[in-house]
Structure formats: structure tokens, C-alpha cells
Amino acid sequence: MDSKLLDQVVSVLASSNNTVVVTGAGISTEAGIPDFRGEKGIYRTMGEDRVMSIINISTFQRDPKRFYEFYRQVFDFPPVEPSLAHKMLADMEKKGRVKAVVTQNIDGLHEKAGSKNVIAVHGNADRFICTRRRCGKYYSSDLVREIKEIVPECPECGGILKPDVVLFGEPIQGYIDARERIMAARVLVVIGSSLTVYPLAGFVKEFSTFYQDLIIINKGPTHMDHAALVKIEVGDSSTGKILQEIDRRLG
Ligand SMILES: [Zn+2]
């Protein structure tokens, strides 16, 4: 860890009364969740077009069996515990150092770690929703995992259950909320995202054209490194350890 860079981050955060954090896959790989867009990720091995042709709303509606055969194999991860980084962010929120987390991840780990103010723009795979509009009940993934049929049905009304995640062809969740949160931030900290996925990457870009206080903590380069006030390369360390050290220096 570069001590000087950490000091710079600490002084920026210390004077901020509205720090918003944006997280991507990088924070969840530290909890053991595969990065779908990473080198061995499903998007690379199968090809993004193929994944998109199944994980999309019209396949779900037309052929839920085909959708679920794939979904259960790839996206239905077994229960995973939050990483140190998730826990640090929850802790920093409790101390008033972080106002909100906007995440692209669908694993629900921020909530599980105790973060209260989370906007999950791609939804949460931990939850399923009944597609019968008049029912609309939510179920936990634990409960759905116990259903033996490939296509899970609502125990109440028999409607098909849909993972509460944003499929291709669907609008993201909390679009306006996420954008407002980011644009109102005094300091924006991007963690574990190379900032390639829109619209979140667009919000960060928009923020950085109006303000300067963009901090990036990531393994490898991102599309916004040039605009960052401080970029911290995770390297052989971990995001969790870096956040722990920042929090410690904040006193
Ligand atoms: Zn139902």
C-alpha cells in the first residue's frame, strides 16, 4: 500500500460530509463470487451474446425453463459471506463516513454486511418475486432453492417466480435515485469496477466532469483513472485491507 496515496484519500474523506461509494464485481470476488466479466467469467467463456440471449426478459417470458436451466447453473450462487470490504463499508456507514452505496452487484452482500443505504441497480439475486401482478410476493433464494421444479412457482398463487435481478432488456432499478445520489456526493469512491458497464459508468463520468473528488480503488486500470484525484491500485493487497487502513487513519 502506498502510504502517501492513503493519506491523500484520508484527508479528502475527512473533509467530506457526503461520501458515496460505487461498487462493482471486484469487491465481491474478495468474498468468493466469480466475476462474470472477468477473464474466466461466463461472459468471456460463453460469449456475451449467448449469455444475453438467455438472461433476458423475453426468454424468461417465452421459455422460462430454458432461462432457469441456465440461471440456476450460473447465477444461483451458494450462500456466501460478505468480505472484509463489505463489512468495512457497513462499519463506515455506521460511523457516518459513508452516506450510501450504489452497487452493480446482485449478490446482496452489502445488505448482508449491514449497510442500510444501498441502491442495487441490477437488483438482488437473494430475492425472487412472483410475476403475477396481483400477487407480487417476494421470496428468499433459500426458499426457492428448496423448490424442486426447474421453474419455481409461487407457493401462494402458482405464478412463476422471477429472480429480482435486472435481466437484459429490462430497465435498471433505482435509476433516478442512483444518479441523484452520485451527483449530490461531495466525494465519490469507486471500488472494484473498471467502469465499463453503463449507465453507472456514465454517472461516474458525469460526476467527474463537474467535481474533482473522485477516488478509485481497483485491481488494474479503469476507464476513469485519468479523471481520478487519487487512484489506489489494489495489487496483491485487498480492497478490504485498504479500507481498513483508511478507516484506521481516519481515527
Ligand atoms: Zn404469487
Side-chain angles (χ1 to χ4, degrees):
M1 277 185 248
D2 186 320
S3 196
K4 260 195 200 145
L5 290 182
L6 286 178
D7 279 340
Q8 226 179 321
V9 172
V10 167
S11 81
V12 172
L13 290 184
S15 63
S16 163
N17 57 5
N18 188 356
T19 298
V20 173
V21 176
V22 169
T23 66
I27 194 167
S28 289
T29 51
E30 290 182 12
I33 288 183
D35 178 2
F36 302 121
R37 291 177 193 278
E39 242 161 67
K40 285 178 193 156
I42 189 78
Y43 286 92
R44 295 268 185 96
T45 54
M46 251 183 92
E48 189 151 358
D49 288 352
R50 208 56 234 278
V51 177
M52 277 171 69
S53 73
I54 303 172
I55 299 298
N56 83 53
I57 186 66
S58 66
T59 303
F60 176 82
Q61 286 163 343
R62 239 183 20 240
D63 193 350
K65 189 163 172 274
R66 180 164 179 246
F67 172 87
Y68 265 111
E69 276 167 351
F70 182 77
Y71 185 86
R72 284 194 187 252
Q73 228 177 53
V74 179
F75 289 90
D76 190 15
F77 6 82
V80 163
E81 289 308 306
S83 69
L84 175 63
H86 292 103
K87 289 176 192 156
M88 285 312 304
L89 288 179
D91 190 45
M92 288 168 86
E93 183 185 313
K94 220 175 279 163
K95 291 177 183 158
R97 287 174 176 164
V98 167
K99 272 268 159 33
V101 175
V102 180
T103 186
Q104 296 179 327
N105 302 333
I106 58 170
D107 47 49
L109 288 178
H110 285 298
E111 292 91 336
K112 213 171 172 183
S115 286
K116 298 278 177 264
N117 219 336
V118 181
I119 304 171
V121 293
H122 292 160
N124 188 336
D126 255 357
R127 290 198 311 188
F128 285 73
I129 182 170
C130 175
T131 52
R132 277 214 186 128
R133 210 164 281 169
R134 258 181 300 163
C135 175
K137 283 214 170 67
Y138 284 99
Y139 295 96
S140 74
S141 57
D142 290 344
L143 191 136
V144 172
R145 226 171 267 127
E146 283 169 21
I147 299 175
K148 291 218 174 64
E149 288 76 27
I150 291 172
V151 179
E153 289 176 358
C154 176
E156 295 269 321
C157 77
I160 291 176
L161 298 181
K162 177 187 171 292
D164 191 25
V165 297
V166 174
L167 306 179
F168 289 106
E170 284 189 303
I172 69 163
Q173 296 180 5
Y175 183 96
I176 291 171
D177 223 18
R179 186 177 171 276
E180 273 178 2
R181 270 290 181 185
I182 288 172
M183 292 309 286
R186 168 79 185 75
V187 176
L188 191 65
V189 184
V190 174
I191 298 174
S193 169
S194 53
L195 294 170
T196 48
V197 181
Y198 279 76
L200 215 49
F203 296 161
V204 175
K205 200 177 260 176
E206 201 180 346
F207 172 88
S208 76
T209 56
F210 289 103
Y211 311 96
Q212 288 193 331
D213 292 351
L214 173 66
I215 294 166
I216 297 177
I217 303 172
N218 193 53
K219 203 169 204 162
T222 82
H223 284 255
M224 293 298 292
D225 285 355
H226 62 279
L229 182 69
V230 188
K231 158 79 193 289
I232 294 193
E233 172 55 50
V234 173
D236 292 332
S237 186
S238 75
T239 311
K241 281 186 193 147
I242 289 167
L243 288 175
Q244 201 169 36
E245 183 55 26
I246 289 171
D247 190 59
R248 193 186 66 79
R249 291 186 190 203
L250 277 165

